[in-house]
Amino acid sequence: MARKANFLKSRTRSTFTTSLFIIALVLFFMSLFAGAAIYSNMLLEEAQENFELMVTLPDHTPKARRDSLGRHLTAQPFVKEIRYISKQEAGQEFIAELGDEFMEIMDGVNPLPASYNIKLNHDWINSDSLTAVNAAIMGQDILPPQDISYPMGEIEQLRANIVQFIRIAAGIGLIVTLIAFFIVNSTIRLAIYGKRLMIRSMQLIGATGGFIRRPFVRLGVLQGFLGALIANAILLGLMYGLHQLGVDSLETLLFREEFLFLLGGIVIFGTILGWLSSTWAVSRFLHKSMDQLM
């Protein structure tokens, strides 16, 4: 008798562990695709902000007017970072990139103008906002229109590529979510299937449906909650490993609001999924006859 009791406990423990592993694995893949989409959007924002809007100054611009323009630009909400590059510094940077042949070709004359190079906040990096940016700069009446340049074409191409990737990741994530629902529901139902006769016995002695469901639902909620925590732990472990291999930008992802919402959302989703699946599974067995249970 003791041997039989130990066998049942071992089997119950094994079933719980197997179900927990499957739930954790499915939720991990869900979080992986969602995390990839968030990470791609973060990289897009960082890449956009690394492009610079160049405001070139006419030669012989008085220092007072140049400084006035600099103060005006610094105060603008679209400016993330601004730096002034003198005519001499622009020439030195160009020589550093292309070599001394540049000055030889130009017969020693530096054709590069002084400029303000501006990194824009990502909220302002679109065609409509750039019109407002141009208006704010031109309002100083120092520069002709052609003296403001920004690589919007390159940014639009980059954005299109990232958006396409995010759409693909979101589509795969939706499919994985549906698969997750099916797998978790089936896993919990199979775990409860082994106790179907016990459920029937409880019905025969007068136990109500709510009383019978309660322990199974608690177990399902616990499995969903623990599975989500394990999935988050695997995801964070993977990120830590990639960070150790040199993917430094993942450290930034950890503190983004969207990623923190993702971790919390996985826990909530796993818990609700465990609750729904266990409730539905027990309800199915509550309404079956003895012949159907055998």
Side-chain angles (χ1 to χ4, degrees):
M1 190 73 178
R3 183 180 301 175
K4 184 176 181 181
N6 290 332
F7 171 75
L8 291 175
K9 286 182 180 179
S10 175
R11 184 175 178 181
T12 301
R13 200 178 300 119
S14 175
T15 302
F16 179 85
T17 303
T18 302
S19 301
L20 184 61
F21 173 76
I22 293 173
I23 292 169
L25 194 61
V26 170
L27 292 177
F28 163 69
F29 280 109
M30 280 184 57
S31 63
L32 185 63
F33 283 106
I38 295 172
Y39 182 62
S40 299
N41 189 60
M42 184 193 77
L43 291 181
L44 173 61
E45 292 179 3
E46 291 181 351
Q48 289 179 155
E49 290 181 347
N50 283 328
F51 285 99
E52 291 184 327
L53 182 147
M54 181 181 292
V55 181
T56 56
L57 303 175
D59 289 341
H60 312 300
T61 299
K63 183 177 184 303
R65 299 193 71 188
R66 185 192 73 199
D67 292 344
S68 175
L69 176 63
R71 290 191 296 271
H72 173 74
L73 293 175
T74 302
Q76 297 305 309
F78 52 78
V79 174
K80 178 185 178 183
E81 182 181 319
I82 185 171
R83 62 191 180 112
Y84 171 72
I85 300 178
S86 67
K87 187 178 181 73
Q88 291 73 25
E89 290 172 336
Q92 291 170 359
E93 289 184 5
F94 212 80
I95 291 172
E97 292 180 9
L98 300 181
D100 295 332
E101 295 83 1
F102 166 68
M103 293 303 294
E104 293 176 4
I105 294 173
M106 302 304 299
D107 293 329
V109 177
N110 180 8
L112 300 175
S115 65
Y116 281 108
N117 286 23
I118 303 171
K119 290 184 179 180
L120 301 177
N121 289 314
H122 71 270
D123 292 337
W124 291 79
I125 304 176
N126 57 71
S127 300
D128 294 336
S129 295
L130 283 177
T131 301
V133 170
N134 287 343
I137 296 173
M138 299 308 300
Q140 291 296 286
D141 196 27
I142 296 177
L143 311 167
Q146 64 269 23
D147 284 347
I148 301 177
S149 60
Y150 193 69
M152 196 62 206
E154 297 176 24
I155 290 177
E156 291 293 352
Q157 183 61 49
L158 174 65
R159 182 180 294 164
N161 294 337
I162 295 293
V163 168
Q164 182 67 19
F165 175 79
I166 291 176
R167 286 176 178 171
I168 292 173
I172 295 175
L174 178 61
I175 294 173
V176 171
T177 301
L178 295 176
I179 294 174
F181 185 82
F182 174 78
I183 292 177
V184 173
N185 184 60
S186 300
T187 300
I188 292 178
R189 191 170 70 234
L190 285 174
I192 295 176
Y193 176 79
K195 300 176 182 178
R196 66 195 186 283
L197 296 180
M198 183 181 70
I199 292 174
R200 183 61 176 172
S201 298
M202 294 174 70
Q203 282 183 298
L204 292 175
I205 62 175
T208 62
F211 180 83
I212 297 172
R213 286 191 192 94
R214 198 170 298 123
F216 293 104
V217 171
R218 285 175 181 169
L219 185 62
V221 168
L222 180 62
Q223 285 180 320
F225 178 75
L226 292 178
L229 292 182
I230 294 172
N232 284 345
I234 297 173
L235 178 63
L236 292 173
L238 176 63
M239 291 175 62
Y240 176 77
L242 292 174
H243 178 67
Q244 293 298 108
L245 292 175
V247 187
D248 295 332
S249 54
L250 286 175
E251 186 175 356
T252 305
L253 179 63
L254 283 172
F255 300 100
R256 286 182 69 91
E257 187 177 81
E258 303 98 306
F259 185 74
L260 296 177
F261 277 130
L262 170 63
L263 296 179
I266 289 296
V267 173
I268 294 172
F269 179 78
T271 303
I272 292 176
L273 192 56
W275 171 66
L276 286 176
S277 298
S278 56
T279 300
W280 290 343
V282 176
S283 296
R284 287 189 57 176
F285 294 118
L286 286 176
H287 297 94
K288 287 187 176 182
S289 65
M290 180 59 73
D291 292 336
Q292 291 173 315
L293 291 175
M294 298 302 294

